[in-house]
Amino acid sequence: RVQAAGGCEGEVAAHEAALEQSRTSISLAEARLDEAEAGLAALREAAEAAAAAAEQEFFEPDADDVLDENFPPGRRRFEPRQLTEAEEAAVSEILQPGNPAEKLIEINNTPITRKDIATLKPLEWLNDEVINSFVELLRDYARQAEGAGEPLPKVHICNTLFYTKLA
């Protein structure tokens, strides 16, 4: 019996040590959880600040934009003009469901399909064809302005596939 009791004492000590190790692991996990929660709170705060900053973006207005005179010159916030009924109808027609592969327009040999245009809807991810097409429109505008003698700053804009080709 004495020998059996001595063997149990060793097992009890081993279990107590394992229990203490588990408590230490739990304390470490709780500390990591607290750090993660603090990090998440900081990320949420940063996202809210970024969203608030995005609402305060300043744009260069076009001639037909309505200016908010409370902003200083050169840093004015503007409200884009309302679309005409014909423009609204065109946008509605383009955003209607249909064959996703249907080519709606071609810009500098880049076809834009209904599926590409659908990425312009709210809460959708933009795809590279829409971005590349906009870049092509900017290039066309720059060429036309240069041809008309309008001075524009020199800018180089890469296609979204540039990095993939570079890598």
Side-chain angles (χ1 to χ4, degrees):
R1 286 185 171 170
V2 173
Q3 192 176 22
C8 288
E9 287 176 7
E11 283 184 41
V12 168
H15 285 290
E16 286 176 346
L19 178 62
E20 188 58 35
Q21 186 177 9
S22 295
R23 286 183 178 140
T24 302
S25 295
I26 289 171
S27 294
L28 288 173
E30 286 174 341
R32 287 185 186 142
L33 179 61
D34 289 344
E35 287 175 12
E37 286 175 343
L40 180 59
L43 284 174
R44 284 187 177 140
E45 186 176 311
E48 288 171 5
E55 289 179 12
Q56 296 299 317
E57 278 290 320
F58 295 102
F59 302 94
E60 288 298 321
D62 290 333
D64 54 353
D65 290 324
V66 179
L67 296 177
D68 181 346
E69 298 300 328
N70 294 325
F71 286 88
R75 302 285 290 173
R76 293 184 174 156
R77 186 181 171 111
F78 76 97
E79 294 292 325
R81 67 174 176 80
Q82 294 294 315
L83 296 178
T84 65
E85 287 184 23
E87 291 168 334
E88 285 280 354
V91 169
S92 293
E93 181 182 331
I94 287 173
L95 292 177
Q96 290 298 315
N99 179 1
E102 177 186 357
K103 183 171 82 171
L104 299 174
I105 191 171
E106 189 169 306
I107 301 171
N108 292 346
N109 297 321
T110 303
I112 303 299
T113 65
R114 189 172 295 280
K115 178 181 175 185
D116 296 328
I117 293 295
T119 66
L120 295 172
K121 292 179 180 178
L123 302 176
E124 295 290 333
W125 287 96
L126 280 176
N127 77 7
D128 58 340
E129 292 305 323
V130 171
I131 295 168
N132 290 333
S133 297
F134 184 72
V135 168
E136 288 301 319
L137 290 173
L138 290 175
R139 285 186 184 138
D140 285 348
Y141 173 77
R143 285 186 202 113
Q144 290 171 6
E146 185 177 35
E150 293 180 37
L152 290 176
K154 296 289 182 189
V155 177
H156 183 77
I157 304 171
C158 296
N159 184 296
T160 59
L161 302 174
F162 174 74
Y163 181 76
T164 306
K165 290 179 182 178
L166 187 65

